[in-house]
Amino acid sequence: MNENEKGMDAELMDFDMDGLCRAIAESSPMPMVALEIGTHKVKYANPAFCALLGKGRNELVGHTFPGAAQGQDACLALLDRVSKTGKVEIHTGLEDSPAHPFYWSYAVWPIFAADGAIGGVMIQAIETSPFHRQVTAMNRELILSATVQHPLMDDADAFNRKLQAEVAERQRVYAALEESEERFRLLYNALPVGAFVCDREGLIQNYNLRAVELWGREPKLGIDRFSGALALFLMDGTKLANTDNPMNKVLRTGAPERNIEMLKERPDGSRLPVIVSYVALKNSDGAVSGVIITFDDISDRLRAEKEARDIGQKYNLLAESMSQKIFTTKANGELDYVNRQWFNYSGKVYEDFEGWGWKQLIHPEDIGFTMREWLLSIETGAPFEVVHRFRRWDGQFRWHLTRAQALRNGSGKISMWLGSNTDIQDQKELEAELRWANDDLRQFAFAASHDLLEPLRTLSNYSQLLVRGIPGPLSSEAETCINFITESAARMRTLLTDLLAYTEAGADRGAEAELIDLNRVFQSVKGDLALVISENEAVVTSGVLPTICGHEARLVQLFQNLIGNAIKYRGERAPVIHIEAARQGRDWLFTVTDNGLGIDAQHFEKIFGVFTRLHGKAIPGTGIGLAICQRIVERYGGKIWVESQVGQRTIFYFTLPIEEESIDG
Amino acid sequence: MDSSSGGQPYRILLLEDSAADTYLFRQALKNTGLKHDLTVIDDGEKGLDFAKRQGDYAAIAVPDLAVLDLNLPKAGGAAVLAAMRQHPELVGVPVIILSSSDAPSDKERTQELGAARYITKPMNLADYLRIGDQVKELLLESRAALERGA
């Protein structure tokens, strides 16, 4: 130790070493605890240690150290060994505390009383996950330095025992001081936070390794200031005014300034977000002699906070901009959020919904089953789904579909419920209308097939009776008139029958679809049309047709109408009609080609309409055939269309879905 | 007429609410030249009274043949047929269903109840008048069967 260093030591002694140590211990993020020898009673515990155990300082100080109290042999042995040997011991095993699943190492130091006797031990815990190696190495140095005996002054004046004693005493103090400082320096550098010690002028006197790392360079002792040449900024980016500098406040008042967030500009111009605490160093007379500054990088935390905020904002924006009504509840079912759509719908404010307030909006008849289902879901965690009515701002109750899903935390416990309410009033009304319309149609079809035909039959029969001269002969004019009546009645009957067939073609009478071999259907239709085919000397052929899933009667009707039409609308030539089927994606594409009259392109779409006819009475028909074909094809999810050249040929195309098994096969 | 030996006319019962159809049916019977006695009931409820031999229609003589329309107000021909099959006096009376309905379900239902024939009312007058032939045929068949049984 040279003279200069001795001078500094002396100054440090004046400097209130105890105060400094205490300030460091108090602001250290590392848990530290001092115990009395033998009793293992806690003499001192720093805030980090209290936080680690989750206890107040007064719950710890004066009480037996928890590790010792629990009779942990290893712990007791360690404490006793240090008390006896006065040597620092490092417990390097990895400790996994259940409350804090981190790895820690413990350093146990002797505390020397003024008379040089060991008065107690200090335990310091260090989180070793990231620093384990570094700390272990440093602790080894500490062991070495602590065990080095300061050389005694062998050349002391044997005659001046008193002086010798004084020198010895002084030497012992130096030795203790040296040890103390070494310990302090080790602790200082092992701190996971940056630390500076500044003098009354704010000039940096001391710094640790982490401080260099965070700052970006080594500070010049006695020249640099923490808040000086390298500027500090508030979190919003504005420069920290000198008068607002916490350093000045602490120097002035002596009261600590803790956990202040600001931006520290680094030598490369980047700004590091840091959290800073200032604690005053005081002389033995209580005067502020300097400030110890600890600071840490909080960019990770800020980033995480920002991400959480961004996600929160996104979800909020999403929930508020959705047209659907959204709500969340606590795990116990108490509502704690509804989006804006609910306020618009109900004309109420959040407080009206909160907790169980929303019940007032439910139709009185629906409250019973709604609550029953909701409480059941809360109890079991099963998804909630109910159709019920909510009162709108104007008093109208509208049907809603409400669904809610439990959200669970990592351990599977329900943390909240998230739900939506969809207004299905319009849908319900449409469904009802559709049901009525279908009922009407069915009634109409029944009327058409029975009630309407009844008078027509009588009309027809009696007209014929008159023609036959009952009760007397009729003039030929009257006969003509009556013939018109008869013909009209017959036509009316045909129209009604066809219309009935058309409605039947699209109706689902509950008959199951089956696998139908269209080759068989084709042969059967050819058989039915045998007379017409031979009369017209028509040639009707087909390629290999597939088997599809459908209803035989409908498919027969489809083929019969298309082949029948091809013959009916024949040209001068004998009809030649051919049916083919080919795969096209997931469908069969059918073509029915003929060499008949052909259809003008302007009628390509019109011909599929109900009762649409392009020909006069020369060719009989009601114009329902292709409408029925379209209805059948669409019933199976297919399409039908036509291409034609007048006088040349007509090709009807239609698609039917490929039967799944035949795809695989 | 050979079939009306003994001078006894065939007793025929018609359940029909349409006067027009009743008229045509009479014409059809007339054309057969068969000696007959036609009783017309124009209401389903009255038809049930007849079938159960009760009320004002209890006294109507057991017919040789009944022709029933299906679609009548109150009670249809099928209900009357079912009631007839429950009554010992009427259980053996041959029945023709004459209906404007050509629904297969109607045919099946009445066949199960023991209707001998099912005729859909024709659009064409000539066909309508030929119903008489079917009536005659059935009457002669059942008479022959009765004689064989006796």
Side-chain angles (χ1 to χ4, degrees):
Chain A
M1 192 178 287
N2 59 32
E3 281 306 307
N4 191 25
E5 279 173 333
K6 277 181 185 170
M8 238 177 98
D9 285 341
E11 268 179 38
L12 270 170
M13 287 183 80
D14 288 346
F15 200 69
D16 181 14
M17 196 64 199
D18 286 350
L20 177 62
C21 285
R22 184 174 291 277
I24 289 170
E26 281 291 292
S27 62
S28 171
M30 290 185 284
M32 295 168 80
V33 60
L35 308 180
E36 194 175 59
I37 275 192
T39 65
H40 303 125
K41 278 193 176 161
V42 174
K43 301 297 282 182
Y44 167 80
N46 78 341
F49 185 81
C50 296
L52 178 68
L53 296 196
K55 290 190 171 175
R57 208 193 298 251
N58 53 4
E59 290 177 88
L60 293 167
V61 174
H63 296 86
T64 310
F65 177 61
Q70 286 159 19
Q72 292 173 1
D73 291 344
C75 176
L76 288 172
L78 184 66
L79 295 178
D80 291 344
R81 205 159 54 239
V82 173
S83 317
K84 276 183 195 129
T85 62
K87 288 182 180 175
V88 176
E89 292 232 12
I90 311 290
H91 188 65
T92 52
L94 299 177
E95 296 272 336
D96 187 4
S97 155
H100 300 270
F102 297 112
Y103 292 96
W104 301 86
S105 280
Y106 301 96
V108 185
W109 308 330
I111 300 172
F112 296 97
D115 59 1
I118 297 169
V121 291
M122 173 73 120
I123 303 174
Q124 182 202 349
I126 301 170
E127 186 194 342
T128 55
S129 320
F131 301 112
H132 186 251
R133 280 208 189 98
Q134 187 187 354
V135 168
T136 306
M138 287 184 173
N139 279 338
R140 287 194 198 293
E141 277 178 40
L142 180 67
I143 295 166
L144 290 175
S145 64
T147 51
V148 167
Q149 295 294 316
H150 199 277
L152 292 171
M153 296 177 71
D154 295 327
D155 55 346
D157 186 355
F159 297 102
N160 197 338
R161 289 182 180 276
K162 194 181 174 185
L163 183 62
Q164 188 181 35
E166 278 178 7
V167 169
E169 172 62 14
R170 189 174 171 79
Q171 194 55 51
R172 204 194 55 71
V173 170
Y174 275 136
L177 190 63
E178 192 179 348
E179 274 180 15
S180 172
E181 195 199 342
E182 278 299 324
R183 284 199 298 273
F184 158 70
R185 192 158 296 286
L186 184 88
L187 167 65
Y188 199 41
N189 279 330
L191 285 175
V193 297
F196 294 111
V197 177
C198 301
D199 63 14
R200 275 204 59 83
E201 305 304 314
L203 298 174
I204 294 172
Q205 300 296 320
N206 221 322
Y207 57 87
N208 72 349
L209 293 175
R210 179 71 177 150
V212 175
E213 202 181 313
L214 290 176
W215 192 333
R217 69 168 172 85
E218 288 197 25
K220 297 186 190 77
L221 295 183
I223 297 169
D224 279 335
R225 297 170 196 272
F226 181 67
S227 50
L230 292 163
L232 288 176
F233 299 85
L234 298 175
M235 293 308 282
D236 63 7
T238 56
K239 201 168 163 79
L240 183 72
N242 212 28
T243 47
D244 294 336
N245 195 329
M247 177 80 142
N248 295 339
K249 282 189 206 162
V250 174
L251 284 171
R252 199 167 58 244
T253 64
E257 292 277 333
R258 294 186 199 274
N259 302 329
I260 300 156
E261 291 181 8
M262 41 194 181
L263 298 168
K264 177 90 181 85
E265 194 168 86
R266 290 153 61 101
D268 62 5
S270 64
R271 289 179 185 180
L272 186 72
V274 287
I275 184 164
V276 192
S277 291
Y278 299 80
V279 178
L281 287 170
K282 291 177 186 172
N283 283 333
S284 46
D285 59 4
V288 176
S289 58
V291 174
I292 178 160
I293 300 171
T294 55
F295 69 113
D296 198 9
D297 178 2
I298 55 169
S299 42
D300 285 349
R301 199 199 78 201
L302 290 180
R303 204 162 27 244
E305 278 176 5
K306 185 174 181 305
E307 272 169 21
R309 217 162 35 237
D310 286 351
I311 290 170
Q313 275 171 353
K314 257 185 218 162
Y315 279 115
N316 199 43
L317 189 71
L318 194 65
E320 292 298 324
S321 61
M322 273 175 94
S323 63
Q324 225 174 12
K325 303 179 191 74
I326 305 277
F327 66 91
T328 63
T329 76
K330 297 175 191 164
N332 66 4
E334 282 177 25
L335 185 141
D336 57 5
Y337 168 78
V338 281
N339 69 348
R340 194 159 41 82
Q341 276 61 36
W342 259 120
F343 307 140
N344 295 344
Y345 176 83
S346 64
K348 302 275 183 190
V349 295
Y350 173 69
E351 285 68 27
D352 298 322
F353 287 89
E354 197 175 10
W356 300 93
W358 51 270
K359 274 166 68 181
Q360 290 169 15
L361 288 171
I362 292 184
H363 194 285
E365 287 172 17
D366 302 345
I367 284 184
F369 67 82
T370 299
M371 287 308 292
R372 207 159 46 241
E373 293 292 319
W374 181 224
L375 293 175
L376 186 71
S377 283
I378 291 165
E379 195 187 319
T380 62
F384 175 75
E385 183 172 319
V386 151
V387 173
H388 51 182
R389 287 160 288 180
F390 282 105
R391 193 174 56 233
R392 198 166 63 178
W393 58 272
D394 60 358
Q396 190 200 344
F397 281 99
R398 292 177 66 84
W399 285 101
H400 283 72
L401 169 66
T402 298
R403 285 196 175 119
Q405 192 85 32
L407 299 185
R408 293 168 191 274
N409 62 19
S411 59
K413 203 163 163 263
I414 292 174
S415 57
M416 64 178 286
W417 289 81
L418 173 62
S420 66
N421 317 83
T422 314
D423 190 329
I424 54 165
Q425 182 73 25
D426 294 345
Q427 195 184 324
K428 276 218 154 203
E429 284 169 6
L430 271 179
E431 271 171 20
E433 271 175 34
L434 200 61
R435 233 182 356 256
W436 293 329
N438 274 333
D439 286 347
D440 283 352
L441 196 64
R442 259 197 293 281
Q443 278 172 20
F444 166 74
F446 186 81
S449 63
H450 300 102
D451 303 351
L452 291 180
L453 288 176
E454 198 67 39
L456 276 176
R457 191 173 46 73
T458 304
L459 193 65
S460 169
N461 281 328
Y462 276 83
S463 305
Q464 292 169 53
L465 203 57
L466 283 174
V467 175
R468 284 176 57 149
I470 299 167
L474 286 172
S475 68
S476 66
E477 260 181 29
E479 196 173 318
T480 310
C481 293
I482 289 163
N483 277 338
F484 278 129
I485 296 173
T486 312
E487 276 171 27
S488 293
R491 179 156 175 74
M492 182 74 171
R493 186 182 202 280
T494 314
L495 286 171
L496 287 172
T497 311
D498 286 354
L499 193 59
L500 185 64
Y502 176 73
T503 51
E504 291 280 332
D508 191 352
R509 292 263 173 262
E512 289 282 322
E514 321 168 278
L515 288 178
I516 307 289
D517 179 0
L518 292 178
N519 297 296
R520 210 164 45 75
V521 169
F522 174 74
Q523 290 306 330
S524 144
V525 168
K526 237 177 114 172
D528 291 345
L529 295 173
L531 187 65
V532 188
I533 290 172
S534 72
E535 276 174 3
N536 287 278
E537 294 177 332
V539 178
V540 183
T541 56
S542 86
V544 177
L545 300 177
T547 294
I548 67 144
C549 196
H551 303 77
E552 178 152 2
R554 289 197 187 120
L555 294 165
V556 164
Q557 202 171 14
L558 175 66
F559 277 59
Q560 199 158 32
N561 287 357
L562 289 172
I563 297 170
N565 273 359
I567 299 173
K568 197 152 83 173
Y569 301 103
R570 60 169 288 182
E572 295 290 313
R573 298 171 288 182
V576 176
I577 298 147
H578 185 71
I579 301 185
E580 273 289 340
R583 278 168 185 266
Q584 192 192 53
R586 299 192 72 80
D587 290 324
W588 289 109
L589 174 65
F590 294 83
T591 50
V592 182
T593 311
D594 70 44
N595 60 346
L597 290 173
I599 302 162
D600 197 305
Q602 60 172 313
H603 301 308
F604 281 177
E605 282 185 22
K606 195 177 143 192
I607 54 170
F608 294 102
V610 175
F611 297 143
T612 304
R613 297 212 63 218
L614 301 178
H615 300 273
K617 281 193 176 166
I619 304 175
T622 57
I624 198 83
L626 289 175
I628 290 176
C629 288
Q630 187 181 44
R631 210 163 152 89
I632 291 170
V633 168
E634 286 180 353
R635 171 77 175 62
Y636 293 123
K639 283 186 297 185
I640 185 167
W641 68 99
V642 69
E643 280 175 13
S644 181
Q645 287 159 291
V646 175
Q648 295 295 313
R649 60 173 186 163
T650 300
I651 307 173
F652 277 93
Y653 297 89
F654 64 93
T655 62
L656 292 173
I658 291 177
E659 164 60 24
E660 292 296 334
E661 282 173 27
S662 64
I663 293 176
D664 300 337
Chain B
M1 293 284 155
D2 59 331
S3 51
S4 56
S5 54
Q8 284 286 351
Y10 287 102
R11 282 190 301 271
I12 300 170
L13 180 103
L14 175 66
L15 181 69
E16 175 61 77
D17 65 332
S18 157
D21 280 345
T22 303
Y23 181 81
L24 287 180
F25 187 74
R26 277 187 199 283
Q27 292 299 323
L29 279 185
K30 202 186 280 177
N31 285 359
T32 62
L34 209 59
K35 197 177 169 191
H36 64 272
D37 179 3
L38 182 70
T39 306
V40 179
I41 300 176
D42 63 356
D43 178 279
E45 230 163 37
K46 292 172 190 166
L48 279 181
D49 276 353
F50 156 74
K52 294 172 180 171
R53 315 299 282 151
Q54 63 186 21
D56 295 343
Y57 292 80
I60 292 177
V62 174
D64 295 309
L65 177 81
V67 179
L68 309 176
D69 184 16
L70 282 184
N71 298 314
L72 287 102
K74 297 173 195 168
V80 173
L81 173 57
M84 283 174 69
R85 290 298 177 244
Q86 296 294 315
H87 200 281
E89 286 179 37
L90 302 177
V91 71
V93 175
V95 168
I96 294 176
I97 299 294
L98 182 59
S99 170
S100 54
S101 159
D102 59 355
S105 60
D106 284 337
K107 286 180 191 170
E108 281 167 24
R109 189 164 51 118
T110 50
Q111 247 161 33
E112 276 169 21
L113 288 169
R117 307 230 170 147
Y118 190 102
I119 303 171
T120 306
K121 288 178 183 173
M123 273 305 267
N124 187 289
L125 180 66
D127 291 341
Y128 209 114
L129 295 178
R130 274 197 284 275
I131 291 172
D133 296 340
Q134 296 206 49
V135 171
K136 183 177 175 182
E137 207 177 285
L138 191 57
L139 277 171
L140 296 178
E141 266 175 28
S142 63
R143 168 80 42 108
L146 272 176
E147 280 165 0
R148 273 200 304 278

